[in-house]
Amino acid sequence: MNKKTYTSAIKKTPFEYLYSQKIAELMIQGLSYNEIFRKCYEENELQIVSEQRRKEVLNVVYDRLSKLDKYLLEEFLNSSIDSSKFILVYAIAISDLLFFEFLITEYRGVLLSKNKNYISDSDFDDFFATIKEKNTVVANWSDRTIRQLGCGYRNIIINSGLGRREKNLIYSKKVIIKPLVAEHIKKINMPFIQAVLGD
């Protein structure tokens, strides 16, 4: 029996920074989920044409942001763009165990390596192959799902500023974020800070 629960939500809803900002604003205003649902889905404040896509984005993004404490949610809206995007990566990582493991095993490795500071296609393939061997849920995912997940992970790393693309390689980048934000996250989730800052 698998103790770890993995999902593939990132394949359809990777970074979504602007939507996340809009939903975070409503959360900071104190609106309930139902009120946010009405504004984002029924009144379409997100301006997404497809109702199915609108609901999908709302639910995934709300779930991520609801895992942040009040301090981080406020910093997500008010910090520099680098710190804000960093907080969103954190929200995604604590909402998605498989992505978190990718950051710890693959991203941290290249961030700290003196010889190889990029993630290649084969690194993505090897990561998912290893997980498939250990987890029956992932083992049953189609090759298409795995490819889409890989694209989602690339999207998050590049759009968050944690990496840059050069052809088929994703080069890691050390980001500079607000020290108080880094310290706050370090107190509650040291493995994440170690994975993405190399501390």
Tab-separated table of all heavy atoms in Angstrom, residues 84-103:
chain	number	residue	atom	x	y	z
A	84	SER	N	7.549	37.136	-4.183
A	84	SER	CA	6.171	36.719	-4.406
A	84	SER	C	6.115	35.394	-5.180
A	84	SER	O	5.399	34.464	-4.801
A	84	SER	CB	5.425	37.816	-5.159
A	84	SER	OG	4.099	37.427	-5.425
A	85	LYS	N	6.890	35.316	-6.245
A	85	LYS	CA	6.903	34.085	-7.040
A	85	LYS	C	7.495	32.922	-6.244
A	85	LYS	O	7.059	31.775	-6.383
A	85	LYS	CB	7.672	34.310	-8.333
A	85	LYS	CG	6.916	35.165	-9.333
A	85	LYS	CD	7.661	35.299	-10.649
A	85	LYS	CE	6.803	36.024	-11.686
A	85	LYS	NZ	7.471	36.105	-12.996
A	86	PHE	N	8.475	33.220	-5.401
A	86	PHE	CA	9.074	32.201	-4.543
A	86	PHE	C	8.024	31.619	-3.601
A	86	PHE	O	7.960	30.397	-3.392
A	86	PHE	CB	10.221	32.826	-3.749
A	86	PHE	CG	10.980	31.866	-2.891
A	86	PHE	CD1	12.022	31.120	-3.415
A	86	PHE	CD2	10.665	31.705	-1.551
A	86	PHE	CE1	12.734	30.236	-2.626
A	86	PHE	CE2	11.371	30.826	-0.749
A	86	PHE	CZ	12.411	30.090	-1.286
A	87	ILE	N	7.198	32.491	-3.029
A	87	ILE	CA	6.129	32.031	-2.126
A	87	ILE	C	5.142	31.154	-2.877
A	87	ILE	O	4.661	30.146	-2.344
A	87	ILE	CB	5.424	33.236	-1.466
A	87	ILE	CG1	6.386	33.931	-0.494
A	87	ILE	CG2	4.149	32.796	-0.742
A	87	ILE	CD1	5.902	35.288	0.000
A	88	LEU	N	4.847	31.497	-4.128
A	88	LEU	CA	3.926	30.664	-4.903
A	88	LEU	C	4.527	29.283	-5.172
A	88	LEU	O	3.815	28.276	-5.099
A	88	LEU	CB	3.542	31.352	-6.214
A	88	LEU	CG	2.512	30.610	-7.070
A	88	LEU	CD1	1.248	30.283	-6.281
A	88	LEU	CD2	2.167	31.420	-8.324
A	89	VAL	N	5.822	29.218	-5.448
A	89	VAL	CA	6.473	27.906	-5.622
A	89	VAL	C	6.329	27.098	-4.331
A	89	VAL	O	6.053	25.899	-4.361
A	89	VAL	CB	7.959	28.054	-5.995
A	89	VAL	CG1	8.640	26.689	-6.032
A	89	VAL	CG2	8.116	28.735	-7.345
A	90	TYR	N	6.505	27.766	-3.207
A	90	TYR	CA	6.343	27.091	-1.918
A	90	TYR	C	4.923	26.547	-1.764
A	90	TYR	O	4.724	25.391	-1.362
A	90	TYR	CB	6.680	28.049	-0.773
A	90	TYR	CG	6.387	27.488	0.592
A	90	TYR	CD1	7.096	26.389	1.078
A	90	TYR	CD2	5.395	28.047	1.392
A	90	TYR	CE1	6.815	25.865	2.330
A	90	TYR	CE2	5.120	27.531	2.645
A	90	TYR	CZ	5.835	26.444	3.118
A	90	TYR	OH	5.547	25.905	4.348
A	91	ALA	N	3.927	27.373	-2.093
A	91	ALA	CA	2.535	26.936	-1.989
A	91	ALA	C	2.264	25.730	-2.884
A	91	ALA	O	1.556	24.792	-2.495
A	91	ALA	CB	1.594	28.089	-2.359
A	92	ILE	N	2.848	25.731	-4.078
A	92	ILE	CA	2.681	24.599	-4.994
A	92	ILE	C	3.348	23.357	-4.414
A	92	ILE	O	2.776	22.265	-4.418
A	92	ILE	CB	3.247	24.933	-6.390
A	92	ILE	CG1	2.447	26.052	-7.049
A	92	ILE	CG2	3.250	23.691	-7.284
A	92	ILE	CD1	3.095	26.640	-8.291
A	93	ALA	N	4.562	23.531	-3.894
A	93	ALA	CA	5.325	22.387	-3.382
A	93	ALA	C	4.634	21.719	-2.188
A	93	ALA	O	4.612	20.492	-2.097
A	93	ALA	CB	6.736	22.826	-3.003
A	94	ILE	N	4.068	22.517	-1.284
A	94	ILE	CA	3.424	21.899	-0.123
A	94	ILE	C	2.047	21.348	-0.462
A	94	ILE	O	1.436	20.649	0.339
A	94	ILE	CB	3.348	22.859	1.095
A	94	ILE	CG1	2.552	24.117	0.767
A	94	ILE	CG2	4.758	23.189	1.585
A	94	ILE	CD1	2.323	25.024	1.972
A	95	SER	N	1.565	21.669	-1.661
A	95	SER	CA	0.282	21.126	-2.123
A	95	SER	C	0.465	19.912	-3.021
A	95	SER	O	-0.488	19.189	-3.284
A	95	SER	CB	-0.495	22.192	-2.919
A	95	SER	OG	-0.693	23.337	-2.150
A	96	ASP	N	1.693	19.711	-3.507
A	96	ASP	CA	1.950	18.658	-4.482
A	96	ASP	C	3.221	17.905	-4.104
A	96	ASP	O	4.341	18.351	-4.373
A	96	ASP	CB	2.090	19.270	-5.879
A	96	ASP	CG	2.060	18.226	-6.974
A	96	ASP	OD1	2.972	17.382	-7.008
A	96	ASP	OD2	1.127	18.252	-7.798
A	97	LEU	N	3.045	16.758	-3.471
A	97	LEU	CA	4.170	15.986	-2.938
A	97	LEU	C	5.169	15.577	-4.013
A	97	LEU	O	6.386	15.608	-3.796
A	97	LEU	CB	3.637	14.740	-2.221
A	97	LEU	CG	4.674	13.803	-1.611
A	97	LEU	CD1	5.519	14.511	-0.570
A	97	LEU	CD2	3.980	12.583	-1.007
A	98	LEU	N	4.682	15.227	-5.183
A	98	LEU	CA	5.583	14.770	-6.241
A	98	LEU	C	6.473	15.914	-6.722
A	98	LEU	O	7.685	15.723	-6.926
A	98	LEU	CB	4.781	14.191	-7.411
A	98	LEU	CG	5.588	13.495	-8.507
A	98	LEU	CD1	6.450	12.370	-7.947
A	98	LEU	CD2	4.655	12.955	-9.589
A	99	PHE	N	5.917	17.098	-6.877
A	99	PHE	CA	6.720	18.247	-7.274
A	99	PHE	C	7.731	18.589	-6.192
A	99	PHE	O	8.883	18.920	-6.474
A	99	PHE	CB	5.822	19.450	-7.574
A	99	PHE	CG	6.581	20.692	-7.940
A	99	PHE	CD1	7.350	20.740	-9.094
A	99	PHE	CD2	6.541	21.810	-7.119
A	99	PHE	CE1	8.075	21.886	-9.428
A	99	PHE	CE2	7.255	22.952	-7.444
A	99	PHE	CZ	8.024	22.989	-8.600
A	100	PHE	N	7.321	18.486	-4.936
A	100	PHE	CA	8.227	18.742	-3.816
A	100	PHE	C	9.420	17.776	-3.890
A	100	PHE	O	10.581	18.180	-3.724
A	100	PHE	CB	7.477	18.574	-2.492
A	100	PHE	CG	8.116	19.256	-1.313
A	100	PHE	CD1	7.384	19.488	-0.164
A	100	PHE	CD2	9.436	19.681	-1.331
A	100	PHE	CE1	7.944	20.122	0.936
A	100	PHE	CE2	10.013	20.317	-0.233
A	100	PHE	CZ	9.261	20.530	0.895
A	101	GLU	N	9.136	16.516	-4.145
A	101	GLU	CA	10.220	15.532	-4.249
A	101	GLU	C	11.131	15.836	-5.430
A	101	GLU	O	12.351	15.631	-5.351
A	101	GLU	CB	9.648	14.121	-4.355
A	101	GLU	CG	9.041	13.653	-3.050
A	101	GLU	CD	8.658	12.177	-3.064
A	101	GLU	OE1	9.129	11.425	-3.935
A	101	GLU	OE2	7.867	11.794	-2.191
A	102	PHE	N	10.549	16.338	-6.512
A	102	PHE	CA	11.362	16.720	-7.668
A	102	PHE	C	12.325	17.843	-7.283
A	102	PHE	O	13.513	17.814	-7.652
A	102	PHE	CB	10.466	17.170	-8.819
A	102	PHE	CG	11.232	17.647	-10.016
A	102	PHE	CD1	11.748	16.745	-10.927
A	102	PHE	CD2	11.458	19.002	-10.214
A	102	PHE	CE1	12.484	17.182	-12.032
A	102	PHE	CE2	12.181	19.451	-11.302
A	102	PHE	CZ	12.699	18.538	-12.214
A	103	LEU	N	11.832	18.834	-6.544
A	103	LEU	CA	12.694	19.933	-6.115
A	103	LEU	C	13.828	19.423	-5.231
A	103	LEU	O	14.984	19.845	-5.383
A	103	LEU	CB	11.883	20.978	-5.341
A	103	LEU	CG	10.874	21.806	-6.139
A	103	LEU	CD1	10.091	22.727	-5.202
A	103	LEU	CD2	11.544	22.610	-7.242
